[in-house]
Amino acid sequence: MSEQQQLQTLREKIDSIDANIQQLINQRASCAQEVAAVKQTDDEGGTLFYRPEREAQVLRRVMERNSGPLNSEEMARLFREIMSACLALEQPVKVAFLGPEGTFTQAAALKHFGHSAISVPMSSIDEVFREVEAGAVNYGVVPVENSTEGVINHTLDNFLGSGLKICGEVELRIHHHLMVSETTRKDKISRIYSHAQSLAQCRKWLDFHYPNVERIAVNSNAEAARRIKSEWHSAAIAGDMAAQLYELEKIAEKIEDQPDNSTRFLIIGTQEVPESGADKTSIMVAMRNQPGALHDLLEPFRSAEVDLTRVETRPSNTGTWNYVFFIDFMGHVDEPRIAGVMKQVGATASDLKILGSYPQAVL
């Protein structure tokens, strides 16, 4: 058999497989529509079309049974988009994110909900919380911590007065690029725009390559990318989405000082999420100002061998020198062991607020 004949045979095989895949995807979409109909028939107080624990379980199974040659994360991303499109047939998910368009937070929103979700940019973290609380959107996506620069305090502070729940998390590998517009004179760059966090994450690289260039912090990387479109002597540090959206040229790629630079984002909403089999819980605790208070707070976790993944302290809004602790740990509040720990913590704390139990980030 000639090379041309071999290629033709393989192409015909691919065409046949594609037709089968298309038919199966449409069958899945039809099942999703039937699920929606059943949910609406049994509705007794608000239909939940999006189920974080169910989607996490599906994606984990996709990764577990994957045999290649596509890697497991790539396969899960494909299924993420299929699930997003099927969910849009039931009811499109509307998601607020820290904007403008082109930010890493929008990338996190699309990674978690898929491109069939309706993403709505907000100008601040406060506005994301308000839109979700008002019911104008189903969920919000906000950054909470970066592996290089630490916690985003403004996000934590919003939970002090909010009744919203954490419904999920997203971990996003952050790659920063130095980019210019078509009008930029590359040899005359005198200022570089970016978000303050991004400037900090690229500090060493900037010190070496552009030590005498002014660094200007703006509200977001996308705002930095937009701004240089009209300035011939400026560059921006931003991500791939901003480069594509504003049609910018990347003159230096992956300039972050830490190659494993990642940011964790929270999905906020109004629903309590059932167990998925691999969950995290976030709580906010106010302790009485007395000796040994922190020890008393942490002892139940140690005794029950609960894995703490993060402990942060923030000033309380109830008085000077009062503090609250934000704690993330492995497990779900519906598990008897975790429920027992929460009972012990509640007995010693002046206030305990469970911010949510939710599936660990799958992708």
Side-chain angles (χ1 to χ4, degrees), residues 230-256:
S230 60
E231 297 186 11
W232 62 268
H233 62 300
S234 300
I237 294 174
D240 289 316
M241 280 194 70
Q244 294 167 8
L245 182 64
Y246 295 100
E247 299 179 336
L248 301 177
E249 176 190 355
K250 293 183 283 188
I251 60 174
E253 297 190 38
K254 298 182 180 179
I255 65 173
E256 59 274 5

Side-chain angles (χ1 to χ4, degrees), residues 50-57 112 139 167-168 271 273-274 276 359:
Y50 173 68
R51 298 297 298 265
E53 78 288 356
R54 164 67 178 162
E55 297 212 352
Q57 291 166 347
H112 187 80
Y139 300 94
C167 304
Q271 72 192 91
V273 182
S276 74

Side-chain angles (χ1 to χ4, degrees), residues 103-109 111 146 170-175 260-265 363:
T103 59
F104 286 114
T105 311
Q106 184 181 23
K111 180 180 180 181
N146 176 263
V170 189
E171 293 178 0
L172 190 69
R173 181 63 61 85
I174 303 296
H175 292 306
D260 59 348
N261 183 32
S262 300
T263 296
R264 178 173 171 247
F265 300 82
L363 293 174

Side-chain angles (χ1 to χ4, degrees), residues 52-264:
E53 78 288 356
R54 164 67 178 162
E55 297 212 352
Q57 291 166 347
V58 170
L59 292 176
R60 287 181 199 134
R61 285 198 292 268
V62 167
M63 297 175 77
E64 287 168 2
R65 66 173 176 251
N66 185 50
S67 58
L70 289 178
N71 66 49
S72 295
E73 285 199 8
E74 189 64 34
M75 183 63 74
R77 279 193 288 270
L78 291 172
F79 269 81
R80 165 72 277 170
E81 291 301 331
I82 292 172
M83 293 162 69
S84 178
C86 291
L87 181 61
L89 289 174
E90 300 177 46
Q91 184 184 76
V93 175
K94 198 171 183 180
V95 184
F97 67 92
L98 179 60
E101 291 187 348
T103 59
F104 286 114
T105 311
Q106 184 181 23
L110 296 177
K111 180 180 180 181
H112 187 80
F113 291 99
H115 286 70
S116 294
I118 300 170
S119 54
V120 185
M122 297 289 129
S123 61
S124 68
I125 291 173
D126 296 23
E127 283 194 31
V128 175
F129 273 79
R130 282 197 295 269
E131 286 293 291
V132 181
E133 288 169 344
V137 296
N138 303 110
Y139 300 94
V141 181
V142 290
V144 69
E145 64 178 325
N146 176 263
S147 59
T148 303
E149 293 301 307
V151 71
I152 289 89
N153 289 324
H154 198 61
T155 295
L156 297 185
D157 291 343
N158 267 277
F159 283 110
L160 293 172
S162 174
L164 294 179
K165 295 288 186 180
I166 301 173
C167 304
E169 65 174 1
V170 189
E171 293 178 0
L172 190 69
R173 181 63 61 85
I174 303 296
H175 292 306
H176 294 301
H177 315 300
L178 186 69
M179 51 191 68
V180 296
S181 72
E182 67 277 4
T183 61
T184 304
R185 294 178 59 182
K186 299 175 187 176
D187 59 336
K188 298 292 184 182
I189 293 174
S190 62
R191 61 176 60 169
I192 295 176
Y193 294 103
S194 195
H195 189 276
Q197 285 264 345
S198 299
L199 291 171
Q201 292 163 24
C202 303
R203 186 184 300 111
K204 292 179 181 178
W205 190 93
L206 290 171
D207 287 345
F208 184 80
H209 292 90
Y210 290 90
N212 300 316
V213 170
E214 183 182 11
R215 303 170 195 179
I216 302 176
V218 292
N219 289 334
S220 69
N221 294 338
E223 168 62 20
R226 184 195 64 79
R227 190 171 293 197
I228 68 169
K229 291 287 286 184
S230 60
E231 297 186 11
W232 62 268
H233 62 300
S234 300
I237 294 174
D240 289 316
M241 280 194 70
Q244 294 167 8
L245 182 64
Y246 295 100
E247 299 179 336
L248 301 177
E249 176 190 355
K250 293 183 283 188
I251 60 174
E253 297 190 38
K254 298 182 180 179
I255 65 173
E256 59 274 5
D257 296 331
Q258 299 294 329
D260 59 348
N261 183 32
S262 300
T263 296
R264 178 173 171 247

Side-chain angles (χ1 to χ4, degrees), residues 308-322:
L308 300 180
T309 59
R310 184 169 63 95
V311 178
E312 297 289 341
T313 308
R314 293 295 298 151
S316 171
N317 55 13
T318 60
T320 307
W321 306 117
N322 289 330

